Amino acid sequence: MHKIYKIAVLLFLFGNQNLLAQEIGTAIKTKDSIKSKGIDPLRPSKAAFYSAIVPGLGQAYNKKYWKIPIVYGAIATSLYFYITNNKKYHNYRDAYKRRLEGFSDDEFQYLDNARLIAAQRFYQRNRDLSLLVCVVFYVLNIVEANIDAHFTQFNVNDKLSLKPEMYLNQMDYKPNVGFTFNYKF
């Protein structure tokens, strides 16, 4: 019985909404009507294309210049760690190869062969992870430029509102009270 009241309240609150997909008498928007409102449908794809060519160029196209140092900082940091881990990986690998050839005059004389192999694996994994992070930052640069270009054309004005209203329906002999949400676009 208690569940029935919950369902009835939910139906009362959300089941009494009038939603129109299109105003009566409006035609389908054409390219001319879209361009007259200052909306460029190709703007997001242009921004993504520019960011794919040169990282940060899509942010410059969107006139968000403060994001360019963040893009380059993220990509440069991950590239720095890639280069550093790659050098250390090759140092340990070369030392291990020299040990297999019978030489013991490398800079890692204090490590045995098992430690050299473990160090190789460690720096190889970190190198690969750094490259993956660099690729992720590059893709995020492209996606961010695309989304930001979409949001610059988003309509955010005072006409958009949501307001609950009470109404009385006295058309019948019995007065009905209702609760509605009115959306203004």
Side-chain angles (χ1 to χ4, degrees):
M1 192 72 163
H2 186 64
K3 290 182 182 179
I4 294 173
Y5 288 120
K6 286 183 181 179
I7 293 172
V9 168
L10 287 175
L11 286 175
F12 175 72
L13 290 177
F14 297 110
N16 200 14
Q17 296 179 10
N18 294 328
L19 299 175
L20 298 175
Q22 186 176 3
E23 292 180 16
I24 298 172
T26 59
I28 297 174
K29 293 182 180 180
T30 61
K31 288 184 181 180
D32 295 332
S33 65
I34 290 174
K35 291 204 178 200
S36 66
K37 292 183 179 182
I39 296 174
D40 183 11
L42 295 178
R43 183 171 176 81
S45 58
K46 284 181 186 177
F49 177 73
Y50 292 153
S51 276
I53 298 294
V54 177
L57 192 58
Q59 285 75 13
Y61 178 72
N62 291 334
K63 295 185 173 84
K64 303 288 174 130
Y65 302 109
W66 63 272
K67 293 180 182 180
I68 297 172
I70 295 171
V71 169
Y72 280 109
I75 293 174
T77 302
S78 59
L79 280 177
Y80 167 77
F81 283 112
Y82 173 79
I83 292 168
T84 303
N85 287 318
N86 192 37
K87 284 181 184 177
K88 289 183 180 182
Y89 165 72
H90 283 290
N91 288 342
Y92 282 102
R93 188 188 68 172
D94 293 343
Y96 179 68
K97 283 183 177 180
R98 287 186 55 81
R99 291 255 178 103
L100 292 179
E101 293 173 359
F103 297 104
S104 62
D105 59 344
D106 55 41
E107 61 183 308
F108 305 110
Q109 294 175 0
Y110 55 91
L111 296 176
D112 60 345
N113 287 348
R115 299 279 181 171
L116 285 175
I117 292 172
Q120 284 181 58
R121 290 181 182 157
F122 175 76
Y123 287 112
Q124 183 180 21
R125 187 182 72 229
N126 286 346
R127 177 195 67 182
D128 296 343
L129 185 62
S130 298
L131 183 63
L132 179 67
V133 169
C134 182
V135 169
V136 166
F137 281 139
Y138 176 74
V139 170
L140 280 177
N141 156 56
I142 297 169
V143 170
E144 192 280 328
N146 188 333
I147 291 173
D148 189 47
H150 273 291
F151 283 154
T152 56
Q153 300 182 56
F154 191 69
N155 183 9
V156 185
N157 59 15
D158 294 334
K159 291 182 181 179
L160 298 173
S161 64
L162 170 67
K163 183 171 80 172
E165 290 183 7
M166 295 288 290
Y167 70 92
L168 292 172
N169 185 5
Q170 295 182 349
M171 297 291 286
D172 299 331
Y173 293 111
K174 299 177 187 175
N176 295 328
V177 177
F179 187 72
T180 63
F181 283 105
N182 291 327
Y183 303 100
K184 294 183 181 178
F185 292 101

